[in-house]
Amino acid sequence: TREGLRGIRGRRTQRKTILIDSESFASTHVLVSSRLKQKIESIFPEIPSADLAKPGLETDPHVTLLYGIVSDDPAQAKSVLSKFCPISLLTTGISLFERPEYDVLKIDVVSPGASLIHDTLKTSLENKWEWPDYQPHITLAYLKKGVGRSYCAPGAIPDFYGHLFVAGEVVFTDSKDKKTVIELGGKK
């Protein structure tokens, strides 16, 4: 049960998406602020392990900019990203992706900068992006099918509404999980 969780009400939505195949690809993402990461980690003990599906809790909270990049070489991504300044991201509440095998509990994010970077990377780099649209978010946990809605009920968990953070770096992760930090504006 989640009686011990506190939260404020905010926008709670439900969205559906499709799966990309199980091949490994490179990706780009921005990390959340340390303050937001601490808040995210503080709710983990309140999510019973019986509710989790594989892969479980997301212990590296981030906002994906583009998944499905074919090349493991970060050079082309670095070239594209050198044209961008740091971006602002704002959390807007808890919601859910319902997938065939599990529910994905997530924090919705609004960021025109992230959306512009996504669109630019998507058109500049060979990729296998297969989702119908880009929905910036921070994954919290992968939950057993049907469990997710209980976490989206008002007050079930902290809402994470209104956290503003700025990202000045993008992490490029190749298909073998090697990470390269790329500073926006091309300084690294």
Side-chain angles (χ1 to χ4, degrees), residues 48-67:
S49 60
D51 285 358
L52 295 173
K54 287 187 180 184
L57 299 171
E58 176 55 70
T59 57
D60 184 28
H62 62 273
V63 176
T64 300
L65 297 171
L66 182 64
Y67 176 80

Side-chain angles (χ1 to χ4, degrees), residues 5-156:
L5 292 169
R6 297 172 276 110
I8 57 174
R9 290 187 183 165
R11 184 177 68 98
R12 295 178 188 275
T13 60
Q14 178 181 330
R15 296 183 179 146
K16 295 187 179 188
T17 191
I18 59 173
L19 290 172
I20 199 164
D21 62 38
S22 61
E23 279 184 74
S24 291
F25 294 103
S27 65
T28 54
H29 68 267
V30 297
L31 298 174
V32 302
S33 68
S34 59
R35 186 180 69 120
L36 182 55
K37 182 178 180 180
Q38 287 176 342
K39 184 173 180 181
I40 290 169
E41 290 172 344
S42 75
I43 70 159
F44 288 167
E46 304 296 330
I47 301 175
S49 60
D51 285 358
L52 295 173
K54 287 187 180 184
L57 299 171
E58 176 55 70
T59 57
D60 184 28
H62 62 273
V63 176
T64 300
L65 297 171
L66 182 64
Y67 176 80
I69 300 169
V70 175
S71 174
D72 277 341
D73 183 0
Q76 191 176 8
K78 184 175 182 178
S79 175
V80 171
L81 294 167
S82 70
K83 298 169 180 69
F84 289 91
C85 296
I87 58 172
S88 298
L89 301 102
L90 178 67
T91 62
T92 60
I94 300 291
S95 68
L96 193 65
F97 284 133
E98 290 184 305
R99 296 182 121 179
E101 65 277 15
Y102 49 72
D103 293 339
V104 180
L105 185 65
K106 64 186 177 71
I107 302 169
D108 292 318
V109 173
V110 172
S111 175
S115 296
L116 182 59
I117 289 174
H118 166 81
D119 291 343
T120 305
L121 287 170
K122 185 178 168 189
T123 58
S124 301
L125 306 178
E126 182 182 358
N127 67 83
K128 301 289 184 179
W129 179 267
E130 295 180 5
W131 286 275
D133 56 3
Y134 176 61
Q135 299 174 24
H137 66 278
I138 303 161
T139 298
L140 296 174
Y142 298 85
L143 303 169
K144 289 182 179 172
K145 187 75 183 151
V147 172
R149 287 180 189 224
S150 67
Y151 287 90
C152 290

